[in-house]
């Protein structure tokens, strides 16, 4: 049987290769598929007779090629791509860009200017509350004013700073 298998395989080799190539669309893979089909036909022939060796080879090539496609699709979905496709220059840096640093400096300068433009007491109220973490009653006692005055000074400071920062963002 191996002698007739060899002859039939050689007769059908080009059509087997064509069938495999149409499915896998890669010459090397198609070659591998038809060689594997020959090995499987050889093993099957050793176990018993094959009625139609040509049909057996064609069906085996088709099944192996389709199995290859299924495996490849599964690998593409679940495996990490090879590192040779990875571009290390595309990694985001934790360091801000020069443009970001410049924008942050401009925002900080606008913020300082807005605080400097406040009346002294409003600036002091803002600093004691936002920087030092003091409560309004404590600030009022410290400055010798009512808690309502502290609230109004804080509202003035926040509104002024918010407006100054909004102008900076628009520019």
């Amino acid at each position: 049987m191996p002698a007739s298998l060899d002859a039939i395989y050689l007769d059908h080799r080009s059509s087997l290769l064509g069938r495999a190539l149409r499915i896998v669309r890669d010459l090397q893979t198609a070659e591998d598929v038809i060689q594997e089909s020959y090995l499987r036909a050889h093993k099957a022939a050793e176990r018993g007779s094959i009625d139609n060796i040509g049909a057996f080879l064609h069906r085996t090539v088709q099944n192996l090629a389709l199995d290859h496609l299924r495996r490849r699709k599964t690998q593409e979905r679940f495996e990490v791509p090879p590192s040779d496709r990875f571009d290390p220059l595309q990694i985001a840096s934790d360091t801000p860009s020069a443009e970001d640093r410049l924008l942050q400096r401009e925002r900080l300068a606008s913020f300082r200017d807005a605080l400097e433009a406040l009346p002294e007491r409003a600036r002091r109220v803002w600093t004691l509350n936002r920087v030092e973490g003091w409560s309004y009653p404590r600030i009022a006692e410290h400055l010798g004013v009512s808690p309502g005055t502290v609230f109004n000074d804080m509202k003035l400071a926040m509104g002024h700073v918010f407006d100054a920062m909004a102008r900076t963002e628009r520019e």
Side-chain angles (χ1 to χ4, degrees), residues 14 31 36 49 54 131:
S14 63
E31 289 281 352
E36 179 65 25
S49 68
V131 176

Side-chain angles (χ1 to χ4, degrees), residues 44-71:
E46 287 177 347
R47 287 191 305 258
S49 68
I50 301 173
D51 292 336
N52 186 340
I53 295 174
F56 182 90
L57 286 169
H58 280 277
R59 176 55 70 185
T60 304
V61 164
Q62 182 172 336
N63 290 342
L64 289 172
L66 292 172
D67 287 347
H68 172 79
L69 282 183
R70 284 187 208 104
R71 269 192 315 276

Side-chain angles (χ1 to χ4, degrees), residues 19-30 68-69 72:
R19 174 173 272 193
L21 195 54
R22 278 190 299 277
I23 297 171
V24 297
R25 301 202 181 278
D26 177 64
L27 183 59
Q28 184 61 45
T29 304
H68 172 79
L69 282 183
R72 190 171 65 197

